[in-house]
Amino acid sequence: FNNRGFAKHKLKRYEEAIKDYDDAIKLDPKYARAFNNRGDANFYLKRYEEAIKDFDEGIKFNQNEDEGFLGRGLVKIALEKYNEAIKDINKAIKINPKNPKSFFSRGIAKGSQGNYLDALKDFQQAAINLKSKIKINPYKDDYETIKEKVNKLL
């Protein structure tokens, strides 16, 4: 059910995906990945409180995966809770320091707080993790331009 839900998720059929994730969770009530996937679908549907509950459950059942922490961090960015988002994303980075989306997302949170220098450093790390040829100079480059360049790579 989780895999079928994920396929529907990729097709942006989020409501159908959620039903499959629900079925996966009924079969295994501690299935962290299904909770995280459902949280992601709820995030795309802008059901932020439901998404946070799902990510909380996913984290509870598997604290060794970065997906739950990153997903919850993204929800907190959408809710403009940037300090909380950064804390969650820092945990995701500690678990998986190679995930470019974590660095990019933390850069978004930092940039939203006006901390552009640190945001550009995170964008630079995201580009490095993507093995990109983009050269970023956090002391010279424009925040929005770099954000767009890195986002296109993701």
Side-chain angles (χ1 to χ4, degrees):
F1 289 108
N2 186 63
N3 290 341
R4 186 173 69 185
F6 189 72
K8 291 175 183 176
H9 191 128
K10 288 296 185 184
L11 295 170
K12 298 182 180 176
R13 293 166 38 192
Y14 302 118
E15 294 289 354
E16 293 175 44
I18 287 170
K19 289 177 185 171
D20 283 331
Y21 299 141
D22 289 343
D23 288 339
I25 291 166
K26 284 177 192 166
L27 289 174
D28 181 357
K30 295 182 179 181
Y31 192 7
R33 180 150 298 162
F35 279 107
N36 290 334
N37 286 343
R38 189 173 71 183
D40 198 44
N42 277 317
F43 170 76
Y44 281 108
L45 292 170
K46 298 185 182 198
R47 296 178 189 156
Y48 300 132
E49 296 307 318
E50 289 177 51
I52 286 178
K53 288 177 187 174
D54 284 332
F55 289 123
D56 286 346
E57 289 297 301
I59 291 166
K60 180 171 84 175
F61 297 124
N62 189 348
Q63 295 181 7
N64 297 316
E65 273 191 24
D66 63 328
E67 293 174 7
F69 291 108
L70 176 58
R72 191 170 68 185
L74 290 171
V75 175
K76 290 178 180 176
I77 289 171
L79 294 171
E80 299 180 3
K81 296 179 178 182
Y82 303 118
N83 287 330
E84 292 179 33
I86 290 169
K87 286 178 187 176
D88 276 337
I89 296 168
N90 284 343
K91 290 176 186 173
I93 289 170
K94 186 175 181 181
I95 294 166
N96 182 4
K98 299 291 183 192
N99 187 342
K101 288 184 181 181
S102 295
F103 284 97
F104 182 75
S105 300
R106 189 173 70 181
I108 295 291
K110 288 178 177 179
S112 296
Q113 292 178 313
N115 188 349
Y116 299 113
L117 182 59
D118 282 346
L120 287 172
K121 289 176 184 177
D122 277 341
F123 294 160
Q124 181 177 33
Q125 188 59 51
I128 289 168
N129 288 0
L130 287 163
K131 297 182 178 19
S132 167
K133 303 268 189 242
I134 290 178
K135 299 280 189 228
I136 298 172
N137 182 339
Y139 298 98
K140 288 175 63 178
D141 293 329
D142 173 74
Y143 169 79
E144 289 297 328
T145 302
I146 297 304
K147 182 174 87 172
E148 287 303 313
K149 283 182 182 180
V150 176
N151 192 31
K152 286 179 184 176
L153 295 172
L154 296 172

